Amino acid sequence: MSDFVDVLITVPFPEEQLERLRQVSPRLRIMQYDVNHADEILPDAWRRAEILYAGKILPTPEQAPNLRWLQFHLVAIDFALDSELLKKQDLAVTTLSGVAAPQVGEYVIMMLLGLGHGMPEIFALNAKANWPRDRWERFKPSELRGSTVGLVGYGSINREVARLLHAFGVTVLAAKRDVLHPEDSNYIPAGLGDPQGDYFTRLYPYQTLNAMLKQCDFVVVAVPLTPESQNLIGARELKAMKSSAFLINLGRAGVVNEQALLEALQEKHLAGAALDVFSEEPLPEDSPFWKLPNVIISPHVAGISSHYMEQSATFFIENLQRYLENTALLNRFDRERGY
């Protein structure tokens, strides 16, 4: 490793956060380009870069011959899986997994409570200035306390959800790809999440997912999109759920089969859903999901936070220190798993 390390950043970090990055080491030479296309970055900057912090703007391997580490400003990088850059076996690739867990965890709790307490219908009544006479019967809640919540995927987001649910007296069931390793060594802000796997009652492999789903009053889907997880929740899985159950989907579009979900909601096989991701975004105005009275739709905003750039810089600083010390980077992308 040379005396200096050139770091190329292609997202608009505020100056305050850039200064935090510079303070990591005098060896770092930070270059920032706030651009929309790769060709707006000077060829010399691509050539010099040893570390690249990027959103969706990526160079070709030939443009960045000295690149050793690519840190994405994103959690989900399925859009880049076919890029030539990610095929370089000697390139370390890391994601922002865990950085948005605090705000997404709050989003999930909000949706669990909102669905269980009939907020979609309450808001519809508000718009009509309608105070229903049968409110005592109509708004009997599906209370969170004492319920069973199933977490499909047990990464940083659902581990934080499990931690938050602990205070509600909820039975937490979880499903993950590898049940032999309930612990998680990826990044999570200090004091949050469930790094050792302490907050669930039982852990299920995806092969026995239906056995978990049939027990749940609420199901939260937070799974990366891979060939293995495509249509992980389809008609068969939805039919396994209780008709009184609610589904929250904030993973990637494609994990939940949208047509099967639409039919389950229309036929009242499910009590309701909160949906933050769709296969087509923005969701078209003529989508039948808009007309469902038992659905909360949000425009892919679960991970938004006014502190996001600060949170991202905090994580990047941790990984920069690890890189300079030649120790293992957090959130390493696994090419075989696809996340």
Side-chain angles (χ1 to χ4, degrees), residues 8 20 41 76 184 221 238 240 246 253 277 306 308 315 330:
L8 176 58
R20 291 178 64 203
I41 297 173
D184 185 22
V221 182
L238 294 168
F246 299 92
V277 292
S306 57
Y308 194 77
F315 168 73
L330 295 170

Side-chain angles (χ1 to χ4, degrees), residues 163-185:
R163 185 189 72 84
L164 293 171
L165 287 174
H166 186 67
F168 286 89
V170 168
T171 297
V172 173
L173 306 177
K176 70 188 297 282
R177 179 178 177 273
D178 180 8
V179 296
L180 296 179
H181 297 89
E183 69 284 349
D184 185 22
S185 60

Side-chain angles (χ1 to χ4, degrees), residues 88-331:
K88 288 187 59 177
Q89 294 300 313
D90 61 346
L91 178 68
V93 179
T94 55
T95 72
L96 278 191
S97 178
V99 169
Q103 55 264 35
V104 181
E106 289 189 14
Y107 171 95
V108 172
I109 298 301
M110 174 178 67
M111 292 302 173
L112 291 172
L113 293 170
L115 289 170
H117 288 263
M119 293 310 296
E121 187 174 3
I122 288 175
F123 288 144
L125 291 170
N126 283 353
K128 300 175 183 177
N130 185 347
W131 184 285
R133 297 190 179 199
D134 63 344
R135 65 189 186 281
W136 291 98
E137 292 299 321
R138 185 183 294 194
F139 293 109
K140 282 184 178 178
S142 297
E143 296 174 41
L144 200 49
R145 182 168 299 279
S147 70
T148 297
V149 178
L151 305 177
V152 182
Y154 206 58
S156 59
I157 290 172
N158 270 344
R159 287 173 185 267
E160 174 62 3
V161 172
R163 185 189 72 84
L164 293 171
L165 287 174
H166 186 67
F168 286 89
V170 168
T171 297
V172 173
L173 306 177
K176 70 188 297 282
R177 179 178 177 273
D178 180 8
V179 296
L180 296 179
H181 297 89
E183 69 284 349
D184 185 22
S185 60
N186 282 330
Y187 176 76
I188 190 74
L192 303 186
D194 184 19
Q196 299 306 315
D198 297 324
Y199 287 123
F200 57 78
T201 299
R202 185 172 178 182
L203 191 60
Y204 293 78
Y206 288 154
Q207 291 84 347
T208 61
L209 181 59
N210 283 7
M212 183 190 85
L213 294 175
K214 68 181 182 180
Q215 302 177 62
C216 298
D217 301 296
F218 301 89
V219 173
V220 182
V221 182
V223 178
L225 182 61
T226 67
E228 181 183 12
S229 67
Q230 182 84 33
N231 291 319
L232 180 64
I233 305 294
R236 180 171 172 267
E237 289 72 26
L238 294 168
K239 287 178 181 177
M241 294 173 61
K242 302 176 184 178
S243 60
S244 58
F246 299 92
L247 177 80
I248 293 90
N249 184 27
L250 43 82
R252 299 293 287 175
V255 174
V256 177
N257 185 296
E258 285 187 10
Q259 184 58 38
L261 176 59
L262 178 64
E263 292 173 4
L265 291 165
Q266 289 174 329
E267 296 167 6
K268 294 184 169 36
H269 183 72
L270 291 182
L275 308 173
D276 190 54
V277 292
F278 294 89
S279 57
E280 183 178 355
E281 296 180 0
L283 185 65
E285 293 181 8
D286 60 354
S287 170
F289 280 106
W290 290 114
K291 298 179 181 179
L292 295 175
N294 54 345
V295 172
I296 300 174
I297 292 172
S298 57
H300 208 148
V301 295
I304 291 177
S305 169
S306 57
H307 305 291
Y308 194 77
M309 298 305 283
E310 178 185 352
Q311 293 168 333
S312 301
T314 297
F315 168 73
F316 191 33
I317 287 168
E318 169 70 18
N319 253 0
L320 281 171
Q321 291 169 335
R322 286 169 173 260
Y323 182 85
L324 295 173
E325 294 165 2
N326 199 27
T327 57
L329 298 173
L330 295 170
N331 294 352

Side-chain angles (χ1 to χ4, degrees), residues 30-46:
I30 294 177
M31 306 172 283
Q32 183 181 43
Y33 285 78
D34 183 8
V35 298
N36 295 314
H37 302 284
D39 57 10
E40 297 178 61
I41 297 173
L42 293 175
D44 184 62
W46 283 129

